[in-house]
Amino acid sequence: YLIEFLGFGGFILIGIPYFVIVSMIRLYGKKEKINKDLKIATDIGHNLSSFSTEKEVLDDFVKNIALMFKAEFTYLFDHKSGWLELLRSYEYGQFKDYKVERFAIDSRITKEIVVKKQSVIFEEKKDWVEDLGMHKYSSMQSAFGIPISRNEKIEGVLFVFSSKKRMFEKYQVQIADILCSYFTVSVEKARYLENKVKETELCALTNLYNYYYLDERIKFESKRLHEESIHHLSIIMLDIDYFKKVNDTFGHESGNIVLVEVAKILESYVPEHGIVGRYGGEEFVYVLPNVTKEDAINLAERVRVAIENRIFTVIPDLSKADTPLDISITISSGVSSMPRDTDDVKVLVRNADRALYLGAKQAGRNRVAGYIK
């Protein structure tokens, strides 16, 4: 109609308002999407801060990056001196475990990220494939890389890849950079919490659980037994035979070596849902929920044989000679179980202790004894 009366000038009357309106709608839609992504990023950041272990933070961060940006491939690298070493890889919705995956910081892209501390974004594969060399993933196309820094130091690098071209926009990289800031704070917090847990729950020498944690865990498992969440609770109390002689003959440093090596053996025999800890001195305790007394005795016997057959190498520090010496040691064990032997958690530990000293130590050592009423 306009063309009939105005000629082709009618296109201008219709076209200009149309394109202005479309542009405004697109800008508004993009703004709404940015605000939505920012809210998602904030939620992810808050969730990261709730984790108490570094592994949980790493896994959740990589997974949510992939989900948020609809990326098929997400890689988190640790920055070593001159190298990027793979920490986590997430491909097509699953974590992948690669034994060794690292490359030198010698390409244009890695130098730009690590040295210049700048983010990079690529619309298609040809823009990055020569520098990063990830030829085996033929479906990779668009990508971006971000430096992860803390206190002005590059701690790692995040690479995100999509099988589609021109998948990522500049604002998305900026949002990912915000997430990296949440990530570094959460990792630092998790490391602090893990160190505090080690200080309060673990023996500093053997890295096994300490007396306090063992005591609380035994009470917890006893409560579960009374609530019928589990049906058995067994305790193995172990003691190294003639350990004082080791200290007196070879020195306390040698004694510590023996304690550490014994702890490693004990830990290697821990069954599912069970724990082992250092009860004090040369005494150790297994806490075994849902393990019968017979099975606990069998476990104690396997551990006894393993230690009896092991050769321990110590370096005597009570003599001038520092030549390593091979020695053998043995252990004695006492076993008690609930509800078979008692219904009282305090009596449970006392029974295991009595079985250890009356049934094993006084009977000649290097043996396992179950509590007898």
Side-chain angles (χ1 to χ4, degrees), residues 276-322:
V276 65
R278 187 183 179 192
Y279 203 63
E282 65 271 24
E283 284 189 341
F284 300 86
V285 167
Y286 279 101
V287 181
L288 306 170
N290 257 349
V291 174
T292 65
K293 187 174 182 178
E294 289 76 13
D295 288 340
I297 290 174
N298 290 334
L299 171 62
E301 179 62 21
R302 294 199 303 273
V303 172
R304 184 196 67 79
V305 172
I307 291 177
E308 181 183 31
N309 293 333
R310 176 70 64 90
I311 300 298
F312 296 84
T313 301
V314 300
I315 300 177
D317 55 356
L318 295 181
S319 62
K320 295 181 180 179
D322 57 357

mmCIF file of all heavy atoms in Angstrom, residues 276-322:
data_model
loop_
_atom_site.group_PDB
_atom_site.id
_atom_site.type_symbol
_atom_site.label_atom_id
_atom_site.label_comp_id
_atom_site.label_asym_id
_atom_site.label_seq_id
_atom_site.Cartn_x
_atom_site.Cartn_y
_atom_site.Cartn_z
ATOM 1 N N VAL A 276 40.198 -47.360 61.174
ATOM 2 C CA VAL A 276 41.252 -47.754 62.092
ATOM 3 C C VAL A 276 41.944 -46.491 62.574
ATOM 4 O O VAL A 276 42.060 -45.508 61.833
ATOM 5 C CB VAL A 276 42.270 -48.716 61.418
ATOM 6 C CG1 VAL A 276 43.024 -48.018 60.292
ATOM 7 C CG2 VAL A 276 43.238 -49.289 62.448
ATOM 8 N N GLY A 277 42.368 -46.500 63.822
ATOM 9 C CA GLY A 277 43.026 -45.323 64.376
ATOM 10 C C GLY A 277 44.052 -45.707 65.419
ATOM 11 O O GLY A 277 44.121 -46.852 65.870
ATOM 12 N N ARG A 278 44.853 -44.726 65.780
ATOM 13 C CA ARG A 278 45.856 -44.918 66.844
ATOM 14 C C ARG A 278 45.214 -44.549 68.176
ATOM 15 O O ARG A 278 44.836 -43.402 68.390
ATOM 16 C CB ARG A 278 47.079 -44.051 66.574
ATOM 17 C CG ARG A 278 48.226 -44.308 67.535
ATOM 18 C CD ARG A 278 49.371 -43.372 67.256
ATOM 19 N NE ARG A 278 50.490 -43.567 68.187
ATOM 20 C CZ ARG A 278 51.517 -42.747 68.308
ATOM 21 N NH1 ARG A 278 51.571 -41.656 67.539
ATOM 22 N NH2 ARG A 278 52.490 -43.001 69.175
ATOM 23 N N TYR A 279 45.074 -45.542 69.038
ATOM 24 C CA TYR A 279 44.383 -45.340 70.302
ATOM 25 C C TYR A 279 45.278 -44.654 71.325
ATOM 26 O O TYR A 279 44.814 -44.011 72.252
ATOM 27 C CB TYR A 279 43.915 -46.699 70.835
ATOM 28 C CG TYR A 279 42.752 -46.623 71.800
ATOM 29 C CD1 TYR A 279 41.520 -46.127 71.386
ATOM 30 C CD2 TYR A 279 42.887 -47.057 73.118
ATOM 31 C CE1 TYR A 279 40.452 -46.068 72.254
ATOM 32 C CE2 TYR A 279 41.817 -47.002 73.999
ATOM 33 C CZ TYR A 279 40.607 -46.498 73.568
ATOM 34 O OH TYR A 279 39.544 -46.434 74.433
ATOM 35 N N GLY A 280 46.581 -44.813 71.152
ATOM 36 C CA GLY A 280 47.543 -44.220 72.063
ATOM 37 C C GLY A 280 48.808 -45.059 72.105
ATOM 38 O O GLY A 280 48.735 -46.290 72.092
ATOM 39 N N GLY A 281 49.979 -44.405 72.147
ATOM 40 C CA GLY A 281 51.227 -45.163 72.205
ATOM 41 C C GLY A 281 51.363 -46.096 71.025
ATOM 42 O O GLY A 281 51.302 -45.690 69.859
ATOM 43 N N GLU A 282 51.520 -47.393 71.338
ATOM 44 C CA GLU A 282 51.644 -48.408 70.291
ATOM 45 C C GLU A 282 50.357 -49.204 70.124
ATOM 46 O O GLU A 282 50.351 -50.294 69.562
ATOM 47 C CB GLU A 282 52.814 -49.350 70.593
ATOM 48 C CG GLU A 282 52.657 -50.198 71.840
ATOM 49 C CD GLU A 282 53.197 -49.522 73.096
ATOM 50 O OE1 GLU A 282 53.269 -48.279 73.133
ATOM 51 O OE2 GLU A 282 53.567 -50.244 74.037
ATOM 52 N N GLU A 283 49.236 -48.662 70.619
ATOM 53 C CA GLU A 283 47.945 -49.330 70.508
ATOM 54 C C GLU A 283 47.123 -48.752 69.352
ATOM 55 O O GLU A 283 47.097 -47.540 69.149
ATOM 56 C CB GLU A 283 47.145 -49.203 71.805
ATOM 57 C CG GLU A 283 47.617 -50.111 72.916
ATOM 58 C CD GLU A 283 46.672 -50.099 74.095
ATOM 59 O OE1 GLU A 283 45.861 -49.148 74.202
ATOM 60 O OE2 GLU A 283 46.732 -51.036 74.906
ATOM 61 N N PHE A 284 46.442 -49.636 68.633
ATOM 62 C CA PHE A 284 45.583 -49.247 67.520
ATOM 63 C C PHE A 284 44.221 -49.923 67.677
ATOM 64 O O PHE A 284 44.118 -50.968 68.326
ATOM 65 C CB PHE A 284 46.205 -49.659 66.186
ATOM 66 C CG PHE A 284 47.545 -49.038 65.920
ATOM 67 C CD1 PHE A 284 48.711 -49.629 66.397
ATOM 68 C CD2 PHE A 284 47.650 -47.859 65.194
ATOM 69 C CE1 PHE A 284 49.953 -49.069 66.164
ATOM 70 C CE2 PHE A 284 48.888 -47.291 64.948
ATOM 71 C CZ PHE A 284 50.043 -47.891 65.434
ATOM 72 N N VAL A 285 43.193 -49.325 67.082
ATOM 73 C CA VAL A 285 41.844 -49.865 67.207
ATOM 74 C C VAL A 285 41.133 -49.835 65.856
ATOM 75 O O VAL A 285 41.167 -48.826 65.143
ATOM 76 C CB VAL A 285 41.009 -49.071 68.240
ATOM 77 C CG1 VAL A 285 39.530 -49.425 68.138
ATOM 78 C CG2 VAL A 285 41.502 -49.355 69.648
ATOM 79 N N TYR A 286 40.510 -50.962 65.514
ATOM 80 C CA TYR A 286 39.578 -51.028 64.387
ATOM 81 C C TYR A 286 38.162 -50.865 64.937
ATOM 82 O O TYR A 286 37.797 -51.523 65.919
ATOM 83 C CB TYR A 286 39.649 -52.387 63.686
ATOM 84 C CG TYR A 286 40.788 -52.568 62.706
ATOM 85 C CD1 TYR A 286 41.930 -53.276 63.061
ATOM 86 C CD2 TYR A 286 40.694 -52.070 61.409
ATOM 87 C CE1 TYR A 286 42.957 -53.483 62.161
ATOM 88 C CE2 TYR A 286 41.718 -52.264 60.499
ATOM 89 C CZ TYR A 286 42.846 -52.972 60.879
ATOM 90 O OH TYR A 286 43.865 -53.163 59.981
ATOM 91 N N VAL A 287 37.358 -50.016 64.287
ATOM 92 C CA VAL A 287 35.933 -49.904 64.584
ATOM 93 C C VAL A 287 35.197 -50.469 63.372
ATOM 94 O O VAL A 287 35.326 -49.946 62.254
ATOM 95 C CB VAL A 287 35.514 -48.444 64.831
ATOM 96 C CG1 VAL A 287 34.032 -48.371 65.168
ATOM 97 C CG2 VAL A 287 36.343 -47.833 65.953
ATOM 98 N N LEU A 288 34.423 -51.547 63.593
ATOM 99 C CA LEU A 288 33.880 -52.315 62.481
ATOM 100 C C LEU A 288 32.360 -52.468 62.578
ATOM 101 O O LEU A 288 31.846 -53.432 63.155
ATOM 102 C CB LEU A 288 34.530 -53.704 62.453
ATOM 103 C CG LEU A 288 36.065 -53.721 62.438
ATOM 104 C CD1 LEU A 288 36.579 -55.127 62.647
ATOM 105 C CD2 LEU A 288 36.580 -53.136 61.132
ATOM 106 N N PRO A 289 31.605 -51.507 62.019
ATOM 107 C CA PRO A 289 30.142 -51.636 62.019
ATOM 108 C C PRO A 289 29.684 -52.744 61.072
ATOM 109 O O PRO A 289 30.255 -52.927 59.993
ATOM 110 C CB PRO A 289 29.668 -50.258 61.531
ATOM 111 C CG PRO A 289 30.825 -49.711 60.767
ATOM 112 C CD PRO A 289 32.058 -50.248 61.421
ATOM 113 N N ASN A 290 28.665 -53.480 61.511
ATOM 114 C CA ASN A 290 28.091 -54.580 60.725
ATOM 115 C C ASN A 290 29.090 -55.689 60.420
ATOM 116 O O ASN A 290 28.995 -56.356 59.389
ATOM 117 C CB ASN A 290 27.470 -54.064 59.421
ATOM 118 C CG ASN A 290 25.950 -54.007 59.513
ATOM 119 O OD1 ASN A 290 25.351 -54.532 60.445
ATOM 120 N ND2 ASN A 290 25.321 -53.365 58.547
ATOM 121 N N VAL A 291 30.053 -55.886 61.318
ATOM 122 C CA VAL A 291 31.023 -56.987 61.196
ATOM 123 C C VAL A 291 30.849 -57.885 62.420
ATOM 124 O O VAL A 291 30.914 -57.410 63.562
ATOM 125 C CB VAL A 291 32.460 -56.466 61.116
ATOM 126 C CG1 VAL A 291 33.458 -57.632 61.145
ATOM 127 C CG2 VAL A 291 32.658 -55.634 59.851
ATOM 128 N N THR A 292 30.624 -59.163 62.195
ATOM 129 C CA THR A 292 30.424 -60.094 63.303
ATOM 130 C C THR A 292 31.736 -60.331 64.046
ATOM 131 O O THR A 292 32.819 -60.014 63.538
ATOM 132 C CB THR A 292 29.886 -61.433 62.795
ATOM 133 O OG1 THR A 292 30.890 -62.047 61.956
ATOM 134 C CG2 THR A 292 28.607 -61.245 62.003
ATOM 135 N N LYS A 293 31.630 -60.926 65.206
ATOM 136 C CA LYS A 293 32.820 -61.199 65.997
ATOM 137 C C LYS A 293 33.753 -62.173 65.274
ATOM 138 O O LYS A 293 34.979 -62.003 65.281
ATOM 139 C CB LYS A 293 32.415 -61.785 67.367
ATOM 140 C CG LYS A 293 33.583 -61.948 68.335
ATOM 141 C CD LYS A 293 33.087 -62.378 69.696
ATOM 142 C CE LYS A 293 34.243 -62.496 70.698
ATOM 143 N NZ LYS A 293 33.762 -62.882 72.043
ATOM 144 N N GLU A 294 33.168 -63.199 64.641
ATOM 145 C CA GLU A 294 33.983 -64.186 63.918
ATOM 146 C C GLU A 294 34.748 -63.517 62.775
ATOM 147 O O GLU A 294 35.939 -63.779 62.568
ATOM 148 C CB GLU A 294 33.096 -65.304 63.373
ATOM 149 C CG GLU A 294 32.534 -66.245 64.425
ATOM 150 C CD GLU A 294 31.381 -65.630 65.201
ATOM 151 O OE1 GLU A 294 30.852 -64.572 64.757
ATOM 152 O OE2 GLU A 294 31.007 -66.191 66.253
ATOM 153 N N ASP A 295 34.067 -62.637 62.026
ATOM 154 C CA ASP A 295 34.741 -61.961 60.913
ATOM 155 C C ASP A 295 35.815 -61.003 61.421
ATOM 156 O O ASP A 295 36.866 -60.833 60.785
ATOM 157 C CB ASP A 295 33.718 -61.191 60.068
ATOM 158 C CG ASP A 295 32.831 -62.126 59.251
ATOM 159 O OD1 ASP A 295 33.237 -63.290 59.047
ATOM 160 O OD2 ASP A 295 31.734 -61.695 58.837
ATOM 161 N N ALA A 296 35.559 -60.379 62.562
ATOM 162 C CA ALA A 296 36.554 -59.476 63.146
ATOM 163 C C ALA A 296 37.792 -60.259 63.590
ATOM 164 O O ALA A 296 38.932 -59.806 63.402
ATOM 165 C CB ALA A 296 35.954 -58.722 64.326
ATOM 166 N N ILE A 297 37.588 -61.432 64.164
ATOM 167 C CA ILE A 297 38.719 -62.274 64.579
ATOM 168 C C ILE A 297 39.519 -62.699 63.346
ATOM 169 O O ILE A 297 40.768 -62.695 63.369
ATOM 170 C CB ILE A 297 38.216 -63.499 65.368
ATOM 171 C CG1 ILE A 297 37.685 -63.050 66.741
ATOM 172 C CG2 ILE A 297 39.324 -64.536 65.536
ATOM 173 C CD1 ILE A 297 37.038 -64.165 67.549
ATOM 174 N N ASN A 298 38.832 -63.057 62.269
ATOM 175 C CA ASN A 298 39.530 -63.448 61.035
ATOM 176 C C ASN A 298 40.338 -62.284 60.462
ATOM 177 O O ASN A 298 41.466 -62.471 59.988
ATOM 178 C CB ASN A 298 38.523 -63.939 59.993
ATOM 179 C CG ASN A 298 37.905 -65.272 60.370
ATOM 180 O OD1 ASN A 298 38.509 -66.063 61.103
ATOM 181 N ND2 ASN A 298 36.694 -65.529 59.882
ATOM 182 N N LEU A 299 39.759 -61.082 60.515
ATOM 183 C CA LEU A 299 40.480 -59.901 60.046
ATOM 184 C C LEU A 299 41.721 -59.657 60.896
ATOM 185 O O LEU A 299 42.816 -59.394 60.370
ATOM 186 C CB LEU A 299 39.566 -58.678 60.084
ATOM 187 C CG LEU A 299 40.234 -57.316 59.815
ATOM 188 C CD1 LEU A 299 40.830 -57.274 58.419
ATOM 189 C CD2 LEU A 299 39.231 -56.178 60.005
ATOM 190 N N ALA A 300 41.571 -59.748 62.210
ATOM 191 C CA ALA A 300 42.707 -59.536 63.115
ATOM 192 C C ALA A 300 43.819 -60.550 62.854
ATOM 193 O O ALA A 300 45.008 -60.220 62.916
ATOM 194 C CB ALA A 300 42.232 -59.621 64.563
ATOM 195 N N GLU A 301 43.440 -61.772 62.524
ATOM 196 C CA GLU A 301 44.434 -62.801 62.238
ATOM 197 C C GLU A 301 45.187 -62.493 60.945
ATOM 198 O O GLU A 301 46.412 -62.681 60.859
ATOM 199 C CB GLU A 301 43.752 -64.179 62.154
ATOM 200 C CG GLU A 301 44.680 -65.333 61.842
ATOM 201 C CD GLU A 301 45.760 -65.556 62.884
ATOM 202 O OE1 GLU A 301 45.604 -65.107 64.039
ATOM 203 O OE2 GLU A 301 46.783 -66.183 62.541
ATOM 204 N N ARG A 302 44.481 -62.027 59.928
ATOM 205 C CA ARG A 302 45.147 -61.669 58.664
ATOM 206 C C ARG A 302 46.131 -60.524 58.875
ATOM 207 O O ARG A 302 47.242 -60.537 58.324
ATOM 208 C CB ARG A 302 44.109 -61.281 57.604
ATOM 209 C CG ARG A 302 43.211 -62.424 57.167
ATOM 210 C CD ARG A 302 42.549 -62.118 55.825
ATOM 211 N NE ARG A 302 41.778 -60.889 55.839
ATOM 212 C CZ ARG A 302 40.515 -60.807 56.214
ATOM 213 N NH1 ARG A 302 39.860 -61.880 56.645
ATOM 214 N NH2 ARG A 302 39.869 -59.651 56.180
ATOM 215 N N VAL A 303 45.727 -59.566 59.687
ATOM 216 C CA VAL A 303 46.614 -58.440 59.981
ATOM 217 C C VAL A 303 47.833 -58.919 60.773
ATOM 218 O O VAL A 303 48.971 -58.500 60.507
ATOM 219 C CB VAL A 303 45.850 -57.344 60.755
ATOM 220 C CG1 VAL A 303 46.801 -56.256 61.226
ATOM 221 C CG2 VAL A 303 44.742 -56.744 59.893
ATOM 222 N N ARG A 304 47.603 -59.793 61.741
ATOM 223 C CA ARG A 304 48.713 -60.328 62.552
ATOM 224 C C ARG A 304 49.746 -61.017 61.671
ATOM 225 O O ARG A 304 50.958 -60.782 61.800
ATOM 226 C CB ARG A 304 48.172 -61.310 63.587
ATOM 227 C CG ARG A 304 49.248 -61.854 64.541
ATOM 228 C CD ARG A 304 48.775 -63.083 65.280
ATOM 229 N NE ARG A 304 48.599 -64.219 64.369
ATOM 230 C CZ ARG A 304 49.606 -64.970 63.901
ATOM 231 N NH1 ARG A 304 50.865 -64.693 64.239
ATOM 232 N NH2 ARG A 304 49.361 -65.974 63.086
ATOM 233 N N VAL A 305 49.287 -61.848 60.741
ATOM 234 C CA VAL A 305 50.192 -62.578 59.855
ATOM 235 C C VAL A 305 50.945 -61.614 58.937
ATOM 236 O O VAL A 305 52.149 -61.773 58.698
ATOM 237 C CB VAL A 305 49.411 -63.614 59.022
ATOM 238 C CG1 VAL A 305 50.306 -64.241 57.953
ATOM 239 C CG2 VAL A 305 48.835 -64.691 59.927
ATOM 240 N N ALA A 306 50.238 -60.588 58.437
ATOM 241 C CA ALA A 306 50.868 -59.621 57.539
ATOM 242 C C ALA A 306 52.011 -58.885 58.225
ATOM 243 O O ALA A 306 53.083 -58.688 57.633
ATOM 244 C CB ALA A 306 49.826 -58.629 57.027
ATOM 245 N N ILE A 307 51.808 -58.504 59.476
ATOM 246 C CA ILE A 307 52.856 -57.785 60.213
ATOM 247 C C ILE A 307 53.983 -58.732 60.615
ATOM 248 O O ILE A 307 55.164 -58.372 60.570
ATOM 249 C CB ILE A 307 52.245 -57.075 61.437
ATOM 250 C CG1 ILE A 307 51.342 -55.935 60.953
ATOM 251 C CG2 ILE A 307 53.326 -56.554 62.376
ATOM 252 C CD1 ILE A 307 50.620 -55.182 62.031
ATOM 253 N N GLU A 308 53.639 -59.946 60.982
ATOM 254 C CA GLU A 308 54.662 -60.922 61.350
ATOM 255 C C GLU A 308 55.598 -61.213 60.167
ATOM 256 O O GLU A 308 56.807 -61.414 60.355
ATOM 257 C CB GLU A 308 54.002 -62.227 61.809
ATOM 258 C CG GLU A 308 54.995 -63.304 62.248
ATOM 259 C CD GLU A 308 54.299 -64.600 62.614
ATOM 260 O OE1 GLU A 308 53.239 -64.891 62.011
ATOM 261 O OE2 GLU A 308 54.806 -65.318 63.480
ATOM 262 N N ASN A 309 55.061 -61.194 58.968
ATOM 263 C CA ASN A 309 55.852 -61.512 57.774
ATOM 264 C C ASN A 309 56.557 -60.306 57.164
ATOM 265 O O ASN A 309 57.326 -60.457 56.213
ATOM 266 C CB ASN A 309 54.957 -62.159 56.708
ATOM 267 C CG ASN A 309 54.450 -63.522 57.129
ATOM 268 O OD1 ASN A 309 55.093 -64.223 57.920
ATOM 269 N ND2 ASN A 309 53.281 -63.919 56.625
ATOM 270 N N ARG A 310 56.298 -59.133 57.685
ATOM 271 C CA ARG A 310 56.906 -57.921 57.133
ATOM 272 C C ARG A 310 58.268 -57.642 57.793
ATOM 273 O O ARG A 310 58.421 -57.803 59.000
ATOM 274 C CB ARG A 310 55.987 -56.713 57.355
ATOM 275 C CG ARG A 310 56.548 -55.376 56.910
ATOM 276 C CD ARG A 310 56.645 -55.275 55.401
ATOM 277 N NE ARG A 310 55.326 -55.337 54.802
ATOM 278 C CZ ARG A 310 54.572 -54.270 54.562
ATOM 279 N NH1 ARG A 310 54.999 -53.055 54.893
ATOM 280 N NH2 ARG A 310 53.375 -54.402 54.007
ATOM 281 N N ILE A 311 59.214 -57.226 56.983
ATOM 282 C CA ILE A 311 60.516 -56.799 57.499
ATOM 283 C C ILE A 311 60.507 -55.278 57.591
ATOM 284 O O ILE A 311 60.211 -54.582 56.616
ATOM 285 C CB ILE A 311 61.665 -57.269 56.585
ATOM 286 C CG1 ILE A 311 61.681 -58.798 56.491
ATOM 287 C CG2 ILE A 311 63.002 -56.748 57.095
ATOM 288 C CD1 ILE A 311 61.909 -59.503 57.811
ATOM 289 N N PHE A 312 60.841 -54.749 58.751
ATOM 290 C CA PHE A 312 60.876 -53.301 58.973
ATOM 291 C C PHE A 312 62.322 -52.828 58.992
ATOM 292 O O PHE A 312 63.159 -53.398 59.713
ATOM 293 C CB PHE A 312 60.205 -52.950 60.306
ATOM 294 C CG PHE A 312 58.737 -53.285 60.337
ATOM 295 C CD1 PHE A 312 58.311 -54.574 60.642
ATOM 296 C CD2 PHE A 312 57.789 -52.324 60.051
ATOM 297 C CE1 PHE A 312 56.966 -54.889 60.677
ATOM 298 C CE2 PHE A 312 56.436 -52.630 60.089
ATOM 299 C CZ PHE A 312 56.022 -53.912 60.390
ATOM 300 N N THR A 313 62.610 -51.800 58.213
ATOM 301 C CA THR A 313 63.965 -51.252 58.139
ATOM 302 C C THR A 313 64.044 -49.986 58.978
ATOM 303 O O THR A 313 63.282 -49.041 58.759
ATOM 304 C CB THR A 313 64.350 -50.935 56.690
ATOM 305 O OG1 THR A 313 64.264 -52.140 55.905
ATOM 306 C CG2 THR A 313 65.777 -50.398 56.614
ATOM 307 N N VAL A 314 64.957 -49.990 59.948
ATOM 308 C CA VAL A 314 65.134 -48.830 60.833
ATOM 309 C C VAL A 314 66.589 -48.373 60.782
ATOM 310 O O VAL A 314 67.480 -49.134 60.397
ATOM 311 C CB VAL A 314 64.746 -49.166 62.284
ATOM 312 C CG1 VAL A 314 63.291 -49.585 62.376
ATOM 313 C CG2 VAL A 314 65.644 -50.253 62.862
ATOM 314 N N ILE A 315 66.811 -47.132 61.166
ATOM 315 C CA ILE A 315 68.170 -46.589 61.262
ATOM 316 C C ILE A 315 68.419 -46.255 62.721
ATOM 317 O O ILE A 315 67.855 -45.285 63.248
ATOM 318 C CB ILE A 315 68.334 -45.343 60.385
ATOM 319 C CG1 ILE A 315 68.054 -45.690 58.924
ATOM 320 C CG2 ILE A 315 69.737 -44.760 60.532
ATOM 321 C CD1 ILE A 315 68.128 -44.501 57.989
ATOM 322 N N PRO A 316 69.219 -47.058 63.429
ATOM 323 C CA PRO A 316 69.458 -46.824 64.861
ATOM 324 C C PRO A 316 70.038 -45.442 65.107
ATOM 325 O O PRO A 316 70.962 -45.012 64.402
ATOM 326 C CB PRO A 316 70.465 -47.922 65.230
ATOM 327 C CG PRO A 316 70.300 -48.962 64.176
ATOM 328 C CD PRO A 316 69.962 -48.221 62.926
ATOM 329 N N ASP A 317 69.488 -44.720 66.074
ATOM 330 C CA ASP A 317 70.016 -43.399 66.405
ATOM 331 C C ASP A 317 70.623 -43.363 67.802
ATOM 332 O O ASP A 317 70.889 -42.296 68.334
ATOM 333 C CB ASP A 317 68.920 -42.339 66.271
ATOM 334 C CG ASP A 317 67.688 -42.660 67.092
ATOM 335 O OD1 ASP A 317 67.645 -43.735 67.703
ATOM 336 O OD2 ASP A 317 66.765 -41.820 67.112
ATOM 337 N N LEU A 318 70.845 -44.559 68.373
ATOM 338 C CA LEU A 318 71.492 -44.625 69.686
ATOM 339 C C LEU A 318 72.933 -45.109 69.591
ATOM 340 O O LEU A 318 73.591 -45.348 70.599
ATOM 341 C CB LEU A 318 70.707 -45.568 70.608
ATOM 342 C CG LEU A 318 69.280 -45.113 70.959
ATOM 343 C CD1 LEU A 318 68.625 -46.112 71.903
ATOM 344 C CD2 LEU A 318 69.292 -43.728 71.584
ATOM 345 N N SER A 319 73.417 -45.261 68.360
ATOM 346 C CA SER A 319 74.812 -45.672 68.166
ATOM 347 C C SER A 319 75.431 -44.809 67.085
ATOM 348 O O SER A 319 74.733 -44.110 66.350
ATOM 349 C CB SER A 319 74.873 -47.160 67.757
ATOM 350 O OG SER A 319 74.201 -47.357 66.534
ATOM 351 N N LYS A 320 76.741 -44.846 66.982
ATOM 352 C CA LYS A 320 77.434 -44.037 65.988
ATOM 353 C C LYS A 320 77.160 -44.519 64.569
ATOM 354 O O LYS A 320 77.132 -43.736 63.627
ATOM 355 C CB LYS A 320 78.934 -44.049 66.264
ATOM 356 C CG LYS A 320 79.311 -43.385 67.582
ATOM 357 C CD LYS A 320 80.821 -43.413 67.797
ATOM 358 C CE LYS A 320 81.186 -42.747 69.123
ATOM 359 N NZ LYS A 320 82.650 -42.776 69.375
ATOM 360 N N ALA A 321 76.965 -45.817 64.428
ATOM 361 C CA ALA A 321 76.697 -46.368 63.098
ATOM 362 C C ALA A 321 75.294 -45.987 62.648
ATOM 363 O O ALA A 321 74.351 -46.028 63.425
ATOM 364 C CB ALA A 321 76.834 -47.885 63.131
ATOM 365 N N ASP A 322 75.195 -45.536 61.414
ATOM 366 C CA ASP A 322 73.883 -45.166 60.881
ATOM 367 C C ASP A 322 73.458 -46.124 59.773
ATOM 368 O O ASP A 322 72.720 -45.759 58.874
ATOM 369 C CB ASP A 322 73.898 -43.728 60.357
ATOM 370 C CG ASP A 322 74.967 -43.521 59.285
ATOM 371 O OD1 ASP A 322 75.724 -44.473 59.011
ATOM 372 O OD2 ASP A 322 75.023 -42.415 58.720
#
